[in-house]
């Protein structure tokens, strides 16, 4: 009994054992593949509804990566704000402004070339930065915690004005999308 408690205390306070490390590594690769695969799905999908579903899956994959790094608050914010709020806002905006939600998007060849070039350049810069900083060799342990209270005090103290400005900006975007949708409906009725 004491040996089991000692092992549990060691695993919760120090480096993970072999099985836990293997599970953590496998979950990392699953969530990373989910995020990257879904992001590629966002890029190549021509149907706007499928693009939104792929975006949802990419956001869920990133939330899983946050959980793997023991950043539970960031994972919750990712799910609530991005997957729950922003994605729903995007879907409603598309459905309000589009005549057909199943309309196919056909990108121009120049857009594909420029986008692919930017993705390749950004990937090269990120991979180079990770390799030079040595982040690939570091292991995140569960001993690194942060205080939610400190984060809340900073968000509603020092960063209160930017936080409120962003909320006003999102409200203005939503009102603008509704106004544009209303204007398009009037043009369609007049013809």
């Amino acid at each position: 009994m004491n040996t089991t408690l000692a092992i549990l205390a060691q695993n919760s306070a120090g480096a993970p054992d072999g099985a836990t490390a293997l599970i953590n590594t496998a979950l990392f690769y699953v969530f990373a593949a989910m995020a990257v695969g879904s992001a590629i799905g966002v890029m190549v999908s021509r149907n706007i509804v499928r693009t939104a579903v792929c975006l949802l899956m990419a956001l869920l994959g990133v939330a899983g990566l946050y959980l793997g790094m023991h950043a539970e608050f960031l994972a919750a914010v990712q799910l609530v704000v991005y997957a729950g709020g922003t994605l729903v806002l995007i879907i409603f905006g598309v459905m309000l402004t589009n005549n057909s939600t199943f309309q196919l998007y056909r990108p121009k060849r120049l857009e594909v070339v420029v986008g692919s070039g930017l993705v390749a350049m950004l990937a090269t810069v990120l991979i180079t930065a990770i390799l030079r900083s040595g982040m690939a060799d570091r292991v995140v342990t569960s001993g690194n915690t942060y205080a939610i209270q400190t984060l809340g005090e900073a968000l509603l103290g020092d960063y209160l004005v930017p936080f409120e400005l962003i909320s006003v900006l999102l409200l203005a975007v939503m009102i603008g999308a509704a106004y544009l949708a209303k204007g398009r409906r009037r043009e369609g009725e007049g013809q």
Side-chain angles (χ1 to χ4, degrees), residues 31-55:
F31 285 126
M34 182 175 158
V36 171
S38 299
I40 291 171
V42 169
M43 290 189 312
V44 300
S45 179
R46 295 177 189 260
N47 185 320
I48 194 73
V49 176
R50 287 188 185 134
T51 301
V53 171
C54 286
L55 180 60

Side-chain angles (χ1 to χ4, degrees), residues 71-143:
E72 292 84 10
F73 179 76
L74 286 177
V77 167
Q78 176 80 12
L79 290 175
V80 171
V81 174
Y82 291 114
T86 306
L87 187 64
V88 170
L89 182 68
I90 289 171
I91 291 173
F92 278 120
V94 165
M95 290 184 177
L96 282 174
T97 57
N98 240 352
N99 291 339
S100 172
T101 56
F102 297 102
Q103 180 179 359
L104 296 180
Y105 174 69
R106 307 232 186 258
K108 298 175 183 139
R109 186 174 306 272
L110 179 65
E111 293 173 341
V112 172
V113 170
V114 169
S116 299
L118 288 174
V119 166
M121 184 177 67
L122 182 62
T124 303
V125 168
L126 287 175
I127 290 170
T128 303
I130 288 171
L131 292 176
R132 284 190 181 174
S133 70
M135 286 175 51
D137 299 332
R138 294 184 196 155
V139 175
V140 177
T141 62
S142 61

Side-chain angles (χ1 to χ4, degrees), residues 135-179:
M135 286 175 51
D137 299 332
R138 294 184 196 155
V139 175
V140 177
T141 62
S142 61
N144 297 335
T145 60
Y146 54 90
I148 299 293
Q149 181 178 359
T150 306
L151 182 62
E153 288 172 358
L155 186 61
L156 297 176
D158 297 336
Y159 299 105
L160 179 63
V161 173
F163 182 74
E164 292 299 325
L165 287 175
I166 289 172
S167 66
V168 170
L169 177 68
L170 287 175
L171 177 66
V173 167
M174 192 166 60
I175 291 171
Y179 179 75

